mmCIF file with all atom_site columns, all heavy atoms in Angstrom:
data_model
loop_
_atom_site.group_PDB
_atom_site.id
_atom_site.type_symbol
_atom_site.label_atom_id
_atom_site.label_alt_id
_atom_site.label_comp_id
_atom_site.label_asym_id
_atom_site.label_entity_id
_atom_site.label_seq_id
_atom_site.pdbx_PDB_ins_code
_atom_site.Cartn_x
_atom_site.Cartn_y
_atom_site.Cartn_z
_atom_site.occupancy
_atom_site.B_iso_or_equiv
_atom_site.pdbx_formal_charge
_atom_site.auth_seq_id
_atom_site.auth_comp_id
_atom_site.auth_asym_id
_atom_site.auth_atom_id
_atom_site.pdbx_PDB_model_num
ATOM 1  N N   . THR A 1 12 ? -3.599  14.803 -19.513 1.00 98.00 ? 12 THR A N   1
ATOM 2  C CA  . THR A 1 12 ? -4.962  14.932 -20.042 1.00 98.00 ? 12 THR A CA  1
ATOM 3  C C   . THR A 1 12 ? -5.021  14.210 -21.393 1.00 98.00 ? 12 THR A C   1
ATOM 4  O O   . THR A 1 12 ? -4.181  14.428 -22.253 1.00 98.00 ? 12 THR A O   1
ATOM 5  C CB  . THR A 1 12 ? -5.366  16.416 -20.187 1.00 98.00 ? 12 THR A CB  1
ATOM 6  O OG1 . THR A 1 12 ? -4.390  17.137 -20.946 1.00 98.00 ? 12 THR A OG1 1
ATOM 7  C CG2 . THR A 1 12 ? -5.480  17.102 -18.838 1.00 98.00 ? 12 THR A CG2 1
ATOM 8  N N   . GLY A 1 13 ? -6.029  13.327 -21.541 1.00 95.00 ? 13 GLY A N   1
ATOM 9  C CA  . GLY A 1 13 ? -6.094  12.523 -22.770 1.00 95.00 ? 13 GLY A CA  1
ATOM 10 C C   . GLY A 1 13 ? -7.482  12.577 -23.402 1.00 95.00 ? 13 GLY A C   1
ATOM 11 O O   . GLY A 1 13 ? -8.477  12.911 -22.750 1.00 95.00 ? 13 GLY A O   1
ATOM 12 N N   . GLY A 1 14 ? -7.536  12.257 -24.696 1.00 94.00 ? 14 GLY A N   1
ATOM 13 C CA  . GLY A 1 14 ? -8.813  12.254 -25.417 1.00 94.00 ? 14 GLY A CA  1
ATOM 14 C C   . GLY A 1 14 ? -9.224  13.666 -25.803 1.00 94.00 ? 14 GLY A C   1
ATOM 15 O O   . GLY A 1 14 ? -8.446  14.611 -25.680 1.00 94.00 ? 14 GLY A O   1
ATOM 16 N N   . GLY A 1 15 ? -10.471 13.823 -26.232 1.00 95.00 ? 15 GLY A N   1
ATOM 17 C CA  . GLY A 1 15 ? -10.962 15.145 -26.645 1.00 95.00 ? 15 GLY A CA  1
ATOM 18 C C   . GLY A 1 15 ? -10.950 16.103 -25.462 1.00 95.00 ? 15 GLY A C   1
ATOM 19 O O   . GLY A 1 15 ? -11.232 15.694 -24.331 1.00 95.00 ? 15 GLY A O   1
ATOM 20 N N   . ASP A 1 16 ? -10.661 17.368 -25.696 1.00 97.00 ? 16 ASP A N   1
ATOM 21 C CA  . ASP A 1 16 ? -10.650 18.318 -24.567 1.00 97.00 ? 16 ASP A CA  1
ATOM 22 C C   . ASP A 1 16 ? -12.088 18.595 -24.110 1.00 97.00 ? 16 ASP A C   1
ATOM 23 O O   . ASP A 1 16 ? -13.046 18.294 -24.831 1.00 97.00 ? 16 ASP A O   1
ATOM 24 C CB  . ASP A 1 16 ? -9.914  19.612 -24.942 1.00 97.00 ? 16 ASP A CB  1
ATOM 25 C CG  . ASP A 1 16 ? -10.637 20.404 -26.023 1.00 97.00 ? 16 ASP A CG  1
ATOM 26 O OD1 . ASP A 1 16 ? -11.378 19.787 -26.809 1.00 97.00 ? 16 ASP A OD1 1
ATOM 27 O OD2 . ASP A 1 16 ? -10.448 21.616 -26.084 1.00 97.00 ? 16 ASP A OD2 1
ATOM 28 N N   . ALA A 1 17 ? -12.207 19.126 -22.898 1.00 98.00 ? 17 ALA A N   1
ATOM 29 C CA  . ALA A 1 17 ? -13.530 19.447 -22.358 1.00 98.00 ? 17 ALA A CA  1
ATOM 30 C C   . ALA A 1 17 ? -13.369 20.648 -21.429 1.00 98.00 ? 17 ALA A C   1
ATOM 31 O O   . ALA A 1 17 ? -12.366 20.737 -20.712 1.00 98.00 ? 17 ALA A O   1
ATOM 32 C CB  . ALA A 1 17 ? -14.097 18.260 -21.571 1.00 98.00 ? 17 ALA A CB  1
ATOM 33 N N   . PRO A 1 18 ? -14.346 21.558 -21.437 1.00 98.00 ? 18 PRO A N   1
ATOM 34 C CA  . PRO A 1 18 ? -14.239 22.724 -20.547 1.00 98.00 ? 18 PRO A CA  1
ATOM 35 C C   . PRO A 1 18 ? -14.185 22.259 -19.090 1.00 98.00 ? 18 PRO A C   1
ATOM 36 O O   . PRO A 1 18 ? -15.026 21.476 -18.654 1.00 98.00 ? 18 PRO A O   1
ATOM 37 C CB  . PRO A 1 18 ? -15.525 23.511 -20.823 1.00 98.00 ? 18 PRO A CB  1
ATOM 38 C CG  . PRO A 1 18 ? -16.033 22.991 -22.143 1.00 98.00 ? 18 PRO A CG  1
ATOM 39 C CD  . PRO A 1 18 ? -15.578 21.573 -22.243 1.00 98.00 ? 18 PRO A CD  1
ATOM 40 N N   . GLY A 1 19 ? -13.208 22.751 -18.358 1.00 98.00 ? 19 GLY A N   1
ATOM 41 C CA  . GLY A 1 19 ? -13.040 22.342 -16.942 1.00 98.00 ? 19 GLY A CA  1
ATOM 42 C C   . GLY A 1 19 ? -11.727 21.607 -16.728 1.00 98.00 ? 19 GLY A C   1
ATOM 43 O O   . GLY A 1 19 ? -11.331 21.382 -15.578 1.00 98.00 ? 19 GLY A O   1
ATOM 44 N N   . LEU A 1 20 ? -11.028 21.230 -17.808 1.00 98.00 ? 20 LEU A N   1
ATOM 45 C CA  . LEU A 1 20 ? -9.754  20.521 -17.647 1.00 98.00 ? 20 LEU A CA  1
ATOM 46 C C   . LEU A 1 20 ? -8.759  21.360 -16.852 1.00 98.00 ? 20 LEU A C   1
ATOM 47 O O   . LEU A 1 20 ? -8.069  20.851 -15.953 1.00 98.00 ? 20 LEU A O   1
ATOM 48 C CB  . LEU A 1 20 ? -9.145  20.204 -19.022 1.00 98.00 ? 20 LEU A CB  1
ATOM 49 C CG  . LEU A 1 20 ? -9.661  18.932 -19.696 1.00 98.00 ? 20 LEU A CG  1
ATOM 50 C CD1 . LEU A 1 20 ? -9.229  18.887 -21.157 1.00 98.00 ? 20 LEU A CD1 1
ATOM 51 C CD2 . LEU A 1 20 ? -9.151  17.692 -18.967 1.00 98.00 ? 20 LEU A CD2 1
ATOM 52 N N   . ASN A 1 21 ? -8.684  22.657 -17.167 1.00 98.00 ? 21 ASN A N   1
ATOM 53 C CA  . ASN A 1 21 ? -7.706  23.489 -16.463 1.00 98.00 ? 21 ASN A CA  1
ATOM 54 C C   . ASN A 1 21 ? -8.069  23.662 -14.993 1.00 98.00 ? 21 ASN A C   1
ATOM 55 O O   . ASN A 1 21 ? -7.189  23.846 -14.154 1.00 98.00 ? 21 ASN A O   1
ATOM 56 C CB  . ASN A 1 21 ? -7.577  24.853 -17.157 1.00 98.00 ? 21 ASN A CB  1
ATOM 57 C CG  . ASN A 1 21 ? -6.798  24.714 -18.456 1.00 98.00 ? 21 ASN A CG  1
ATOM 58 O OD1 . ASN A 1 21 ? -5.975  23.799 -18.599 1.00 98.00 ? 21 ASN A OD1 1
ATOM 59 N ND2 . ASN A 1 21 ? -7.056  25.598 -19.407 1.00 98.00 ? 21 ASN A ND2 1
ATOM 60 N N   . ALA A 1 22 ? -9.365  23.608 -14.689 1.00 98.00 ? 22 ALA A N   1
ATOM 61 C CA  . ALA A 1 22 ? -9.793  23.690 -13.281 1.00 98.00 ? 22 ALA A CA  1
ATOM 62 C C   . ALA A 1 22 ? -9.286  22.471 -12.522 1.00 98.00 ? 22 ALA A C   1
ATOM 63 O O   . ALA A 1 22 ? -8.815  22.572 -11.381 1.00 98.00 ? 22 ALA A O   1
ATOM 64 C CB  . ALA A 1 22 ? -11.314 23.786 -13.204 1.00 98.00 ? 22 ALA A CB  1
ATOM 65 N N   . VAL A 1 23 ? -9.355  21.278 -13.165 1.00 98.00 ? 23 VAL A N   1
ATOM 66 C CA  . VAL A 1 23 ? -8.845  20.050 -12.513 1.00 98.00 ? 23 VAL A CA  1
ATOM 67 C C   . VAL A 1 23 ? -7.328  20.195 -12.320 1.00 98.00 ? 23 VAL A C   1
ATOM 68 O O   . VAL A 1 23 ? -6.796  19.904 -11.229 1.00 98.00 ? 23 VAL A O   1
ATOM 69 C CB  . VAL A 1 23 ? -9.105  18.806 -13.385 1.00 98.00 ? 23 VAL A CB  1
ATOM 70 C CG1 . VAL A 1 23 ? -8.597  17.541 -12.692 1.00 98.00 ? 23 VAL A CG1 1
ATOM 71 C CG2 . VAL A 1 23 ? -10.579 18.653 -13.730 1.00 98.00 ? 23 VAL A CG2 1
ATOM 72 N N   . ILE A 1 24 ? -6.649  20.643 -13.377 1.00 98.00 ? 24 ILE A N   1
ATOM 73 C CA  . ILE A 1 24 ? -5.180  20.747 -13.318 1.00 98.00 ? 24 ILE A CA  1
ATOM 74 C C   . ILE A 1 24 ? -4.761  21.693 -12.189 1.00 98.00 ? 24 ILE A C   1
ATOM 75 O O   . ILE A 1 24 ? -3.869  21.395 -11.403 1.00 98.00 ? 24 ILE A O   1
ATOM 76 C CB  . ILE A 1 24 ? -4.612  21.247 -14.681 1.00 98.00 ? 24 ILE A CB  1
ATOM 77 C CG1 . ILE A 1 24 ? -4.846  20.184 -15.757 1.00 98.00 ? 24 ILE A CG1 1
ATOM 78 C CG2 . ILE A 1 24 ? -3.143  21.615 -14.579 1.00 98.00 ? 24 ILE A CG2 1
ATOM 79 C CD1 . ILE A 1 24 ? -4.575  20.643 -17.177 1.00 98.00 ? 24 ILE A CD1 1
ATOM 80 N N   . ARG A 1 25 ? -5.436  22.844 -12.108 1.00 98.00 ? 25 ARG A N   1
ATOM 81 C CA  . ARG A 1 25 ? -5.050  23.792 -11.067 1.00 98.00 ? 25 ARG A CA  1
ATOM 82 C C   . ARG A 1 25 ? -5.295  23.237 -9.678  1.00 98.00 ? 25 ARG A C   1
ATOM 83 O O   . ARG A 1 25 ? -4.434  23.308 -8.793  1.00 98.00 ? 25 ARG A O   1
ATOM 84 C CB  . ARG A 1 25 ? -5.798  25.119 -11.222 1.00 98.00 ? 25 ARG A CB  1
ATOM 85 C CG  . ARG A 1 25 ? -5.371  26.103 -10.147 1.00 98.00 ? 25 ARG A CG  1
ATOM 86 C CD  . ARG A 1 25 ? -5.858  27.531 -10.353 1.00 98.00 ? 25 ARG A CD  1
ATOM 87 N NE  . ARG A 1 25 ? -5.160  28.410 -9.425  1.00 98.00 ? 25 ARG A NE  1
ATOM 88 C CZ  . ARG A 1 25 ? -5.458  28.527 -8.145  1.00 98.00 ? 25 ARG A CZ  1
ATOM 89 N NH1 . ARG A 1 25 ? -6.446  27.828 -7.612  1.00 98.00 ? 25 ARG A NH1 1
ATOM 90 N NH2 . ARG A 1 25 ? -4.767  29.334 -7.351  1.00 98.00 ? 25 ARG A NH2 1
#
Side-chain angles (χ1 to χ4, degrees):
T12 53
D16 66 335
L20 276 167
N21 286 333
V23 181
I24 293 169
R25 180 170 192 282

